[in-house]
Amino acid sequence: MANLFCVKDKVVIITGGAGILGRGIAGHLAEEGAKIVILDRAAEVGEQIVAGIKAKGGEASFFLTDVLNKEVLEQNKKDILAKYGRIDALLNAAGGNMAGATIGPDSTIFDLNIDAFRKVVDLNLFGTVLPTMVFADVMANQKEGAIVNFSSESALRPLTRVVGYGAAKAAISNLTKYLAGELAIKFGEG
Ligand SMILES: NC(=O)c1ccc[n+]([C@@H]2O[C@H](COP(=O)([O-])OP(=O)(O)OC[C@H]3O[C@@H](n4cnc5c(N)ncnc54)[C@H](O)[C@@H]3O)[C@@H](O)[C@H]2O)c1
């Protein structure tokens, strides 16, 4: 029986692939034979990660992106399809907490910086929705693919301080379950 977890020759996009989790996942999947596409706004680090994967005999590319800019993501999609011809997986790893969107022990909800709250929701939630809208249609059309979203323990129960991050990640968890139904019902069980 074929290995269900085989990723050999699969084209795997990792947004935030220059980050701590993204680069670790990229390295492992490349060792397993996947073709890694790192999308990040950090070009220098992204290129270094690609060079590291290639030095070990793997296949990887870096494309500069902004997960909040649909036009840039659409151009990324054209470039990825021109190079690899398909997309098999999307890992939405771009995200994270932002200092201003927290409530420290010496402040309260009434001190919350609403702009910072909005920014952390933008990056984590919209930074997952937009790449999914742009890249998932390729997988839907080929009736096969995988999308991995990055939520957090703070989505399950609120942790101290990280009020904006927790709200954004709770939304990601909800969106992920929504998309599982949406894509399976409308595009098949692959
Ligand atoms: N590290 C943890 O312990 C942990 C725990 C739970 C959840 N998470 C989540 O996992 C994901 C990855 O975490 P991490 O620790 O690797 O974070 P990280 O900060 O190391 O990496 C995030 C990457 O996203 C990129 N990025 C940020 N904004 C971007 C934008 N607008 N466009 C393109 N790229 C952008 C950054 O350049 C960076 O390379 C995040 O969503 C984070 O919230 C992390």
Side-chain angles (χ1 to χ4, degrees):
M1 183 183 162
N3 179 357
L4 282 175
F5 300 100
C6 179
V7 293
K8 186 156 173 40
D9 293 329
K10 299 285 185 192
V11 178
V12 179
I13 297 175
I14 309 178
T15 74
I20 299 294
L21 297 187
R23 76 179 69 157
I25 294 165
H28 174 71
L29 294 179
E31 281 173 13
E32 296 291 311
K35 295 172 179 170
I36 304 299
V37 178
I38 291 184
L39 294 186
D40 206 291
R41 64 180 180 181
E44 201 176 324
V45 183
E47 295 285 10
Q48 281 169 8
I49 293 163
V50 165
I53 289 172
K54 285 184 169 167
K56 289 183 176 172
E59 170 57 35
S61 302
F62 173 81
F63 296 96
L64 188 66
T65 202
D66 175 0
V67 290
L68 297 176
N69 186 325
K70 195 156 181 262
E71 277 176 28
V72 173
L73 290 163
E74 294 283 4
Q75 185 58 50
N76 293 147
K77 179 162 83 172
K78 282 187 193 149
D79 294 341
I80 293 163
L81 290 175
K83 182 156 189 186
Y84 293 112
R86 57 185 290 122
I87 294 168
D88 295 294
L90 168 66
L91 278 58
N92 282 309
N97 187 34
M98 290 177 187
T102 59
I103 297 176
D106 300 328
S107 54
T108 75
I109 184 71
F110 307 112
D111 303 311
L112 178 64
N113 178 336
I114 200 66
D115 289 334
F117 188 102
R118 190 172 280 123
K119 272 193 186 146
V120 84
V121 173
D122 264 350
L123 174 60
N124 287 279
L125 180 57
F126 288 79
T128 291
V129 173
L130 286 169
T132 301
M133 285 174 69
V134 172
F135 299 119
D137 70 328
V138 177
M139 294 183 265
N141 289 335
Q142 69 200 19
K143 302 268 182 217
E144 191 176 62
I147 303 172
V148 178
N149 292 337
F150 285 62
S151 185
S152 162
E153 178 69 24
S154 62
L156 306 176
R157 78 197 85 181
L159 304 182
T160 52
R161 304 188 187 192
V162 291
V163 59
Y165 181 75
K169 293 301 194 184
I172 296 255
S173 292
N174 183 284
L175 172 79
T176 304
K177 291 175 192 168
Y178 180 89
L179 284 173
E182 164 77 4
L183 293 172
I185 291 164
K186 295 181 183 164
F187 298 96
E189 61 188 31

